[in-house]
Amino acid sequence: MTHALPLLPDIALPSGVARQIAPLWRTAALALAGFITRFGAPADVRRLNYCEGHFLWRTAAMLRRVQKIVRYILVVYAARLLKTAPPSETKPGPVARQSRKQRPVIAGDPATWRVGFVTPPRWRPVRVIRDRRLPENFARAVRNPLLVIAHRMESLRRVLEAPMPFITRLARRMRRDVFKVLTRNPKRKPPPGRRDYYRDLCDAREAARWALHPLNSS
């Protein structure tokens, strides 16, 4: 991830949309590479006990903003997939009931973690951490921001490296359910020191809104 940018999904977009999406995809990939450079791989992040600067929750918020950018990009691709090659709705046949064994979660192996990519916008309280000392043995804290950062980094890595399964599932969901995107960007911008990726998020949201517009037939 730190040496080569992931390839764009193999779905042809209109030229104007492609020119808008490609820089946003590159921004998300470079953002993840920057987080990995700063904190290390997701498996290493969760073992940290201290991070200089007390900006952990802000970093987690930045990661969530990058996740939203990628999610809106996936919406654009899923909308295009519905117009060009809609995925089939497979109906599972009768299967004999059997006990389902879940794959064990290994702390040191991010591939086994149960992480979730960002869902439709949900209200979340803002946590402010000022000049407070981090708790002793921080890796065992009940609410560990480094663990949140590690999980968000891992979920973002999975989507950027293999986006097509996410696009296909999103396209099926968009065909079954009503899917909406905010039509306007927030009037109040974040504080000057917290505008990382804000403009990119607005552009990605606008692209997703355009892709879902009922009058758009391109």
Side-chain angles (χ1 to χ4, degrees), residues 15-211:
S15 58
V17 181
R19 286 194 300 269
Q20 184 181 14
I21 291 300
L24 295 175
W25 187 265
R26 178 183 176 86
T27 296
L30 291 177
L32 178 59
F35 288 123
I36 292 177
T37 301
R38 180 180 178 185
F39 293 99
D44 300 327
V45 177
R46 63 179 305 280
R47 290 197 293 265
L48 297 177
N49 283 323
Y50 177 77
C51 181
E52 184 179 358
H54 301 282
F55 295 118
L56 297 179
W57 286 114
R58 178 184 170 188
T59 300
M62 289 170 58
L63 267 168
R64 183 168 178 81
R65 187 171 291 174
V66 175
Q67 282 186 328
K68 287 183 178 180
I69 293 173
V70 175
R71 175 178 175 268
Y72 286 129
I73 294 175
L74 298 184
V75 168
V76 175
Y77 277 107
R80 187 65 181 176
L81 184 64
L82 283 177
K83 295 179 181 180
T84 56
S88 60
E89 287 287 352
T90 57
K91 295 183 178 180
V95 180
R97 296 181 62 89
Q98 56 184 358
S99 59
R100 181 179 178 182
K101 295 182 179 179
Q102 292 185 345
R103 186 178 180 182
V105 178
I106 303 174
D109 184 7
T112 64
W113 296 354
R114 299 187 183 99
V115 298
F117 196 62
V118 66
T119 55
R122 290 177 293 172
W123 180 85
R124 288 176 178 268
V126 178
R127 296 174 177 267
V128 180
I129 294 185
R130 302 193 182 278
D131 295 334
R132 285 188 270 168
R133 292 191 60 178
L134 299 179
E136 240 179 277
N137 197 3
F138 192 49
R140 297 183 181 179
V142 175
R143 182 64 172 166
N144 184 349
L146 286 169
L147 191 59
V148 175
I149 292 172
H151 278 238
R152 290 184 180 177
M153 286 173 58
E154 173 62 18
S155 65
L156 188 59
R157 182 196 64 80
R158 293 182 188 180
V159 176
L160 288 175
E161 291 186 354
M164 282 307 300
F166 294 90
I167 293 175
T168 304
R169 288 198 296 268
L170 185 59
R172 292 195 182 103
R173 178 184 172 188
M174 288 167 58
R175 184 165 58 183
R176 293 193 302 264
D177 305 326
V178 176
F179 200 91
K180 294 183 179 180
V181 173
L182 296 177
T183 57
R184 293 181 182 178
N185 293 319
K187 293 183 179 179
R188 180 177 297 178
K189 296 181 180 179
R194 300 182 184 177
R195 293 182 184 174
D196 309 86
Y197 310 112
Y198 173 75
R199 187 67 260 170
D200 298 303
L201 176 61
C202 293
D203 292 342
R205 184 187 291 119
E206 181 64 22
R209 185 200 64 79
W210 179 87

